[in-house]
């Protein structure tokens, strides 16, 4: 049984002042509004509706906290970029996103979700540069990997991994699909590392070789 099956919704907060104590370990999920963030969280936790999914990108406008235990939390950050919402609303939730990233001491890892067909848009790069400067490790998760055939998927993964070297930081790149579970084991392995769970000695199959 995965640790992540036990995730339960804790709170939705408009900003970090409502998040509660800044202790333990948090790993945050961030990405453009149409990157598949909620679907990835639901796949990880084997819960169909833990994170609310919508056909309308940008519905995550609050910082959503999912508790694994009293010292470990998954954080669903507001989506950025695409969402068709009023400018004032967008500015408000992007301010809360920035505050969380800059001030939250318990943040130990950042997962940046990007559509495998459109990686490293400007806002994605800005986010990763910030994390590298703050010495926070990043997992760039290339979502919707099922949209590409196996050969194209491997080629794209190699290209994005090479591009990620330019960030000059702790930036790992993996592929992922919430539909087919491609890359789920690799995502869990990275989270286990950041959360300090015992590492499974069984070698994980590489997502790009599936």
């Amino acid at each position: 049984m995965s640790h992540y099956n036990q995730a339960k919704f804790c709170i939705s907060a408009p900003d970090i002042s409502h998040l509660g104590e800044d202790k333990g370990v948090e790993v945050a999920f961030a990405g453009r509004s149409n990157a598949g963030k909620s679907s990835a969280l639901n796949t990880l936790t084997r819960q169909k509706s833990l994170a609310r999914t919508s056909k309308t990108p940008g519905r995550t406008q609050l910082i959503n906290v999912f508790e694994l235990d009293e010292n470990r939390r998954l954080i669903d950050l507001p989506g950025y970029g695409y969402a068709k919402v009023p400018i004032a609303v967008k500015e408000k939730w992007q301010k809360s996103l920035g505050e969380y990233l800059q001030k939250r001491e318990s943040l130990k890892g950042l997962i940046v979700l990007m559509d495998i067909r459109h990686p490293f848009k400007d806002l994605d790069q800005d986010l990763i540069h910030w994390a590298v400067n703050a010495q926070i490790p990043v997992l760039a998760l290339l979502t919707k990997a099922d949209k590409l055939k196996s050969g194209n998927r491997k080629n794209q993964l190699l290209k994005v991994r090479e591009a990620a070297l330019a960030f000059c930081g702790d930036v790992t790149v993996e592929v992922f699909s919430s539909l087919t579970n491609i890359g789920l084991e690799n995502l869990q392995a990275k989270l286990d590392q950041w959360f300090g769970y015992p590492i499974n000695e069984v070698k994980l199959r590489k997502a790009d070789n599936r």
Side-chain angles (χ1 to χ4, degrees):
M1 182 177 174
S2 165
H3 305 289
Y4 308 102
N5 298 28
Q6 303 168 41
K8 59 184 179 182
F9 174 76
C10 184
I11 191 174
S12 287
D15 54 55
I16 62 172
S17 66
H18 293 80
L19 281 180
E21 279 192 89
D22 191 357
K23 65 175 186 177
V25 179
E26 293 178 352
V27 174
F29 284 62
R32 295 179 68 83
S33 300
N34 55 346
K37 188 158 47 70
S38 296
S39 296
L41 279 163
N42 289 340
T43 300
L44 171 68
T45 60
R46 282 80 163 173
Q47 298 182 44
K48 290 183 178 180
S49 57
L50 182 73
R52 188 174 64 175
T53 59
S54 171
K55 292 183 179 179
T56 304
R59 285 293 173 87
T60 304
Q61 298 178 18
L62 299 169
I63 300 172
N64 293 314
V65 181
F66 303 104
E67 193 174 79
L68 300 174
D69 58 43
E70 61 182 13
N71 290 311
R72 297 178 175 96
R73 297 171 295 279
L74 297 168
I75 308 295
D76 183 10
L77 294 173
Y80 52 82
Y82 175 84
K84 294 179 180 177
V85 295
I87 294 296
V89 174
K90 187 179 292 188
E91 288 179 348
K92 181 179 179 181
W93 94 64
Q94 294 197 1
K95 180 185 177 185
S96 71
L97 169 67
E99 281 185 340
Y100 173 81
L101 294 172
Q102 292 171 36
K103 298 178 181 178
R104 193 71 173 170
E105 294 291 332
S106 49
L107 176 62
K108 302 303 181 187
L110 180 66
I111 296 176
V112 180
L113 296 94
M114 304 177 288
D115 187 319
I116 191 170
R117 299 162 296 180
H118 312 289
F120 292 148
K121 299 275 191 177
D122 288 348
L123 291 173
D124 302 324
Q125 293 191 51
D126 290 346
L127 190 58
I128 294 171
H129 278 303
W130 173 86
V132 168
N133 289 337
Q135 297 186 315
I136 292 174
V138 173
L139 171 59
L141 200 62
L142 304 179
T143 61
K144 306 182 184 181
D146 55 280
K147 300 290 187 182
L148 298 182
K149 291 183 178 179
S150 179
N152 290 339
R153 187 164 65 235
K154 290 178 184 178
N155 289 339
Q156 182 73 333
L157 176 61
L158 291 174
K159 282 167 57 177
V160 177
R161 281 178 171 168
E162 185 173 352
L165 297 175
F167 292 108
C168 300
D170 185 354
V171 181
T172 308
V173 182
E174 297 289 355
V175 297
F176 184 81
S177 168
S178 58
L179 287 178
T180 64
N181 288 350
I182 292 171
L184 178 58
E185 290 174 334
N186 288 355
L187 171 59
Q188 289 180 170
K190 179 59 71 175
L191 287 170
D192 286 352
Q193 178 187 334
W194 287 344
F195 279 123
Y197 287 125
I199 302 299
N200 192 332
E201 294 299 325
V202 177
K203 289 187 177 180
L204 297 175
R205 287 171 292 176
K206 287 292 183 182
D208 48 311
N209 286 333
R210 281 193 168 184

